[in-house]
Amino acid sequence: MKRALITGITGQDGSYLAEHLLDMDYEVHGTIRTTTHDIEETRVGHLLSTDPPRVKIHVTDLGDSHSLMRLITDLRPDEVYNLAAQSHVRASFDQPIHTGQVTGIGAVRLLEAIRQEDTSTRFYQASSSEMFGATPPPQDETTPFHPRSPYAVAKVYAYWSTINYREAYGLHASNGILFNHESPRRGKEFVTRKITSSIPRLLTGDQEKLRLGNLEARRDWGHARDYVRAMHMMLQHPEPLDLVIGTGESHSVSDFLDAAFAVVNLDWSEYVEIDSQFYRPTEVDYLEADISKAAATIGWKPTISFEELVAEMVTSDLEAHGITA
Ligand code: NAP
Ligand code: F7E
């Protein structure tokens, strides 16, 4: 039985990846960063409420080298998926140093623990399309990076550190350069879930307006369930590699509004107000993946369309309010 460690298991991707690995009979371990969490209320609560729990949880923080080192020494995992991060782009402008410490140097703390303990451990780094930033689409593995936020800068540092540990120490260390991926488990601070989670409240009158920033930004939005499959496939490849993972289709925030409000037959322009606090000092205007290399090397392709993703998110948020679409 293979043993995997997922940092950031309580996040959107961590929870789907844990389920995916359990389906393949892995022994799954995950990190949470504090004991003050009510862990049963997190996205992996359903995997912990069984007897015995289906995943094992360890308390650590990407800021704490010593606990990471101890964890790797105790577990000696076959695969490590580094999904933990301060992952919110807008928040990274308010907390640039914290973001650098966690999202950037945090990856090196983990790589260093692996290097010192067991270099046969395979490592996945959650790299991001935000690294392309201002470089126009389509973006592939050869596209130059032009990061536009402290978050993206930190991800570029972690990306190159992953490659450096591969080249310097022979680690099987890979970067998945993932474009935006969403789901009903997406945090409500991200634009897609902010929109879908507002719809039931607008319908019931609990919320009057939906305040958003830049509606023109374009993103290549896929489904998180598809993308965690790619993470696992990358670590099964004989050689470590860096791969762009996306859908190859781009939509604006206003396209997302069109699709989401169409599910409930409402006109979003009657509800949406532009609020400058949701603009970023520097924006990423246009992301669209070229996924030819992922198709050719690991045979990955997405299975869930943009329309299916939006419908699933809206329906799930409506159901949580007892409303049927
Ligand atoms: P997410 O929902 O924000 O989850 C982030 C996870 O990191 C959470 O479990 C969080 O724990 C944990 N975390 C935050 N700070 C930490 C720290 N100091 N030490 C240890 N853990 C910490 O993110 P996601 O959407 O699942 O994304 C997973 C990874 O992929 C992230 O690295 C993200 O930057 C990257 N990524 C995401 C996308 C996307 O579109 N979703 C695209 C490309 C790359 P708490 O539960 O305690 O907050
Ligand atoms: O913004 C615009 C905003 O915060 C998308 C993270 O998972 O994906 C995510 O980063 C777009 C931006 O995602 C609001 O300006 C308008 O252009 O949902 P988001 P993101 O910044 O693309 C990448 C790949 C990651 O790696 C990150 O970890 O939507 N937008 N109005 C807004 N965005 C938010 N959050 N809130 C608004 O009100």
Side-chain angles (χ1 to χ4, degrees):
M1 180 186 276
K2 276 194 190 169
R3 179 179 290 169
L5 172 65
I6 304 172
T7 69
I9 198 168
T10 55
Q12 169 188 259
D13 292 5
S15 65
Y16 282 115
L17 179 62
E19 288 169 358
H20 185 55
L21 295 177
L22 286 169
D23 284 347
M24 288 180 299
D25 288 330
Y26 274 62
E27 179 185 310
V28 177
H29 296 253
T31 70
I32 60 160
R33 56 181 161 154
T34 118
T35 47
T36 57
H37 258 313
D38 184 351
I39 186 75
E40 305 231 331
E41 295 300 314
T42 68
R43 295 180 180 92
V44 287
H46 61 296
L47 302 176
L48 295 165
S49 53
T50 53
D51 186 18
R54 299 190 67 207
V55 296
K56 295 193 180 72
I57 297 296
H58 306 268
V59 179
T60 183
D61 191 297
L62 280 196
D64 179 13
S65 305
H66 291 287
S67 62
L68 289 172
M69 195 79 75
R70 206 166 42 241
L71 187 56
I72 296 293
T73 304
D74 289 350
L75 290 179
R76 294 181 67 99
D78 299 293
E79 296 172 8
V80 171
Y81 296 86
N82 183 32
L83 307 189
Q86 189 305 94
S87 76
H88 198 271
V89 173
R90 180 66 193 83
S92 76
F93 287 98
D94 300 324
Q95 291 197 296
I97 294 166
H98 171 74
T99 303
Q101 282 287 353
V102 175
T103 305
I105 299 175
V108 182
R109 292 191 182 95
L110 200 48
L111 284 161
E112 191 56 13
I114 294 168
R115 177 180 81 85
Q116 290 194 25
E117 181 53 33
D118 180 0
T119 51
S120 70
T121 295
R122 294 188 173 197
F123 179 81
Y124 173 87
Q125 169 59 21
S127 288
S128 167
S129 53
E130 283 293 299
M131 300 188 305
F132 298 124
T135 311
Q139 291 98 359
D140 68 12
E141 294 78 4
T142 63
T143 302
F145 297 145
H146 184 153
R148 296 271 283 172
S149 64
Y151 167 80
V153 172
K155 283 288 183 188
V156 171
Y157 176 80
Y159 170 91
W160 280 113
S161 298
T162 301
I163 293 176
N164 183 240
Y165 273 70
R166 179 197 303 164
E167 293 175 355
Y169 309 116
L171 255 63
H172 191 294
S174 294
N175 284 292
I177 308 174
L178 271 52
F179 283 59
N180 297 52
H181 46 282
E182 320 293 313
S183 73
R185 296 183 194 172
R186 183 61 141 156
K188 290 179 187 162
E189 64 276 30
F190 300 98
V191 75
T192 57
R193 185 78 198 293
K194 181 174 173 181
I195 293 169
T196 66
S197 67
S198 294
I199 287 177
R201 295 170 51 77
L202 293 167
L203 279 171
T204 57
D206 290 329
Q207 184 177 334
E208 216 175 295
K209 292 287 174 193
L210 170 55
R211 291 180 180 81
L212 295 172
N214 178 14
L215 305 188
E216 304 311 314
R218 298 186 72 84
R219 292 291 183 273
D220 179 328
W221 278 298
H223 197 300
R225 238 185 351 251
D226 270 338
Y227 289 39
V228 301
R229 264 192 311 111
M231 296 176 189
H232 175 257
M233 288 167 89
M234 285 181 69
L235 292 206
Q236 310 321 302
H237 196 261
E239 303 301 329
L241 70 183
D242 306 312
L243 286 184
V244 158
I245 301 293
T247 69
E249 241 183 62
S250 190
H251 299 270
S252 64
V253 174
S254 54
D255 292 340
F256 193 96
L257 283 164
D258 286 341
F261 278 72
V263 177
V264 287
N265 287 317
L266 288 181
D267 176 359
W268 59 263
S269 64
E270 289 174 19
Y271 298 93
V272 170
E273 261 181 22
I274 300 303
D275 185 334
S276 60
Q277 71 167 301
F278 298 113
Y279 276 78
R280 287 135 195 221
T282 38
E283 178 62 285
V284 170
D285 294 324
Y286 199 154
L287 294 174
E288 185 178 302
D290 174 346
I291 56 172
S292 321
K293 185 176 171 192
T297 50
I298 60 169
W300 179 87
K301 61 176 176 17
T303 64
I304 303 168
S305 71
F306 174 75
E307 291 72 21
E308 288 166 334
L309 166 70
V310 179
E312 183 185 332
M313 290 178 72
V314 175
T315 305
S316 162
D317 277 317
L318 288 172
E319 281 172 4
H321 282 75
I323 306 168
T324 33

